[in-house]
Amino acid sequence: MKGKNILRRGMVGLLCGILLLCAASCAAHYADTNGDADFSLQTLTEEDILSKNNYLQTMASQSTANNKTKVSVGKFSGVRILHIFRSGTHTLTVTPGVTAGNLRLVLCTEDRILHDFALTGEEQTFTVDASAGSVFFKVAGESAEFSLDYVID
């Protein structure tokens, strides 16, 4: 009898913990406050983009083959480092597609944004020079649904 009560309490505690985690993760997404046609960030700042690597994403997949990476995310909020260029010169070719929310795709150092990629769905190429230090390829989003293909040469 005593063992069954302990088991029940444990199951109830586990269920409450799972529900609490689900509620907390749902609340962590930033709201899209500027409408469906405007993909510009409203809550995340340039300082957030430079200093953070903290994000929440759902329904996400990523695959890489022959230097080509494909990313697809159903809902994304926060800032994520996609790649770090640590030295040398590289060519980065990106094709971003945004279907909902707010998104910004950048190359940056620890203290400044070097380049913003347009979110037009068209292929764009940029030469990354990391000879003076690390360059970060980052995505920042607020409840964003997006796909991204990129190639590093």
Side-chain angles (χ1 to χ4, degrees):
M1 186 80 149
K2 191 174 189 178
K4 287 184 179 182
N5 284 337
I6 292 173
L7 184 61
R8 271 193 207 131
R9 286 184 188 167
M11 292 299 288
V12 168
L14 180 63
L15 183 59
C16 288
I18 290 171
L19 290 173
L20 183 62
L21 280 174
C22 289
S25 68
C26 293
H29 278 290
Y30 296 101
D32 178 7
T33 59
N34 57 345
D36 295 339
D38 185 351
F39 298 133
S40 61
L41 296 177
Q42 296 299 296
T43 303
L44 291 169
T45 65
E46 190 167 301
E47 182 180 315
D48 292 331
I49 294 170
L50 295 173
S51 65
K52 291 186 178 182
N53 182 35
N54 186 15
Y55 61 92
L56 175 65
Q57 63 184 18
T58 58
M59 297 187 56
S61 66
Q62 179 171 329
S63 63
T64 302
N66 301 324
N67 291 341
K68 184 173 185 174
T69 301
K70 292 180 173 279
V71 179
S72 177
V73 181
K75 191 170 188 180
F76 176 87
S77 287
V79 179
R80 176 182 170 194
I81 297 172
L82 297 169
H83 188 81
I84 302 174
F85 299 92
R86 298 191 190 280
S87 63
T89 302
H90 307 271
T91 302
L92 175 62
T93 303
V94 303
T95 308
V98 185
T99 52
N102 304 325
L103 196 78
R104 189 169 176 191
L105 191 61
V106 302
L107 286 167
C108 63
T109 62
E110 290 182 351
D111 58 358
R112 72 184 179 103
I113 304 277
L114 302 173
H115 182 73
D116 266 286
F117 290 95
L119 302 175
T120 59
E122 297 175 8
E123 184 177 282
Q124 303 159 65
T125 300
F126 190 82
T127 301
V128 180
D129 183 4
S131 58
S134 294
V135 175
F136 303 90
F137 179 38
K138 290 186 174 185
V139 61
E142 299 163 348
S143 295
E145 180 180 342
F146 71 96
S147 62
L148 171 66
D149 293 349
Y150 66 93
V151 178
I152 299 170
D153 291 320

